[in-house]
Amino acid sequence: MQNMQNNQNPNEFRRLNPRLDFNFKGIFTQDRPESRIALKSFLSAMIGEEVTEVTVKENEPAGQYEEQRGIRYDINCVFADGTKAQIEMQGYDRETDYGRRAEYYVSRLVSSVAMVGDDWGNLPRAYQISVLNFKYDTGNESFLHRYVLADMTDGATLEGVINVIFLELPKLPPVNDDTDIESLPSAVKWGKFIQEADNPDKQDLIDRLSKSEEGIMSADAMLRTLNNTDWRWIEQGKIFGDECDRITGLHNAERRGERNKALSAARNMLADKLPPEKIAQYTGLSAGDIQALAAEPAVQGM
């Protein structure tokens, strides 16, 4: 399980986890100057060119709590030139085909603005941007991927209308006390902020990142503001608990599968008249397990 700490509301250190979807998007979708500055900075870092004006579009039903009504669980936004972008945070690896999913989302963005009779030259670009708290492309150690439609033979690209961007947090380069923060690419700075903002041992790094980039400073200010919202801590604790339940269930299922295999092998060994102590050694089962198996009618009749 990825680093998802700080599910509680400690007095000595109070930082929500920005790798949880609703906290991540809460940073960028508030009607506050800090939120707008952070969003433009983040988009500029991901796209690789400056974004000077952006509008967040409503796209989610009201939340469970009254305070949740301003949260968008997918950030849909439009730039001044009509470019559309959809941003999402994936905190856990659900083994979903994120590549196909991203292609589907970006195609929807393009089709939503294509009208009958339009000039194709006016078709705006569309970006699907995913921040992943796990490795998507395990065979490639690049942390930032910008995908476009390209010729598989020579790499020639089309018009750049369709764009998919993945930022994979576990692949980010290490940053320590000796690192020149100012020289880091903005994408690395943003990735490190998202990765470490709730880590009490990394607050010196967060301060350095904030001083080096206005957008990150604004995002940190927004996260501090969100920290004062009680329902976020409640929801964060619930999500943390649900994920622990899920992981525990998977591990228990794996252990049950391994035990069933060991029991089946032990039955075969008993049928072959192997000594119980050898069966215990080979399978890892206890002497009591093997005695119980030997007493089964099916085994005795072999």
Side-chain angles (χ1 to χ4, degrees):
M1 186 169 61
Q2 300 293 334
N3 176 28
M4 305 293 286
Q5 76 268 22
N6 283 344
N7 61 300
Q8 298 179 353
N9 181 355
N11 293 327
E12 67 276 10
F13 183 79
R14 185 179 170 89
R15 283 290 191 285
L16 288 164
N17 186 334
R19 296 173 305 287
L20 292 178
D21 185 79
F22 65 97
N23 289 333
F24 173 83
K25 288 157 189 176
I27 292 171
F28 299 110
T29 59
Q30 307 302 304
D31 187 19
R32 295 172 60 105
E34 299 94 330
S35 193
R36 291 189 286 271
I37 291 170
L39 179 59
K40 288 187 288 186
S41 174
F42 174 79
L43 286 168
S44 299
M46 294 299 101
I47 292 171
E49 58 186 69
E50 186 178 7
V51 175
T52 58
E53 185 177 338
V54 62
T55 302
V56 176
K57 294 296 185 180
E58 295 276 1
N59 68 335
E60 287 292 330
Q64 177 181 356
Y65 301 94
E66 183 66 28
E67 296 88 343
Q68 282 182 286
R69 296 180 187 274
I71 299 298
R72 288 80 168 178
Y73 286 89
D74 287 315
I75 304 175
N76 283 344
C77 49
V78 181
F79 302 175
D81 64 356
T83 295
K84 303 188 77 173
Q86 188 255 3
I87 312 167
E88 63 177 353
M89 174 76 222
Q90 294 293 334
Y92 297 108
D93 185 1
R94 304 297 192 190
E95 298 183 356
T96 302
D97 194 328
Y98 286 101
R100 291 177 184 269
R101 189 166 180 260
E103 287 180 320
Y104 170 73
Y105 280 152
V106 75
S107 66
R108 285 182 60 189
L109 287 178
V110 174
S111 64
S112 69
V113 295
M115 303 294 291
V116 175
D118 275 355
D119 183 337
W120 289 118
N122 296 329
L123 191 66
R125 291 174 297 168
Y127 290 90
Q128 199 288 327
I129 304 170
S130 293
V131 180
L132 306 177
N133 195 35
F134 53 87
K135 293 183 179 181
Y136 167 73
D137 185 351
T138 56
N140 186 323
E141 283 305 307
S142 296
F143 63 88
L144 184 64
H145 296 273
R146 296 187 175 111
Y147 302 101
V148 296
L149 292 178
D151 190 311
M152 295 179 65
T153 57
D154 61 11
T157 62
L158 289 179
E159 298 299 320
V161 170
I162 293 178
N163 301 267
V164 173
I165 299 174
F166 284 175
L167 175 63
E168 300 175 57
L169 299 182
K171 294 181 181 179
L172 288 168
V175 175
N176 52 45
D177 292 342
D178 298 326
T179 301
D180 181 5
I181 297 295
E182 295 289 344
S183 67
L184 292 176
S186 291
V188 174
K189 295 179 185 179
W190 268 106
K192 283 297 181 182
F193 171 78
I194 296 167
Q195 191 177 47
E196 303 290 3
D198 61 325
N199 186 343
D201 297 326
K202 295 292 184 178
Q203 291 311 294
D204 286 345
L205 171 62
I206 299 304
D207 289 342
R208 292 165 65 201
L209 291 170
S210 295
K211 291 175 182 177
S212 73
E213 193 123 350
E214 182 187 13
I216 296 177
M217 181 180 292
S218 296
D220 189 43
M222 279 307 311
L223 188 59
R224 291 170 186 265
T225 299
L226 298 179
N227 285 339
N228 297 320
T229 312
D230 289 339
W231 72 259
R232 290 183 180 276
W233 291 102
I234 295 170
E235 191 70 12
Q236 178 166 302
K238 180 179 181 298
I239 291 172
F240 183 84
D242 288 346
E243 185 64 11
C244 288
D245 289 344
R246 187 184 74 88
I247 295 297
T248 301
L250 290 174
H251 289 169
N252 286 339
E254 291 173 0
R255 286 190 286 267
R256 284 194 299 270
E258 292 170 358
R259 177 172 172 79
N260 288 338
K261 290 179 182 179
L263 291 171
S264 179
R267 289 188 181 96
N268 293 331
M269 293 177 190
L270 284 167
D272 291 338
K273 310 302 182 185
L274 265 67
E277 61 273 11
K278 285 294 184 182
I279 298 176
Q281 178 183 346
Y282 294 151
T283 64
L285 295 172
S286 69
D289 288 333
I290 297 168
Q291 288 175 1
L293 289 175
E296 291 179 351
V299 174
Q300 290 177 343
M302 288 181 176

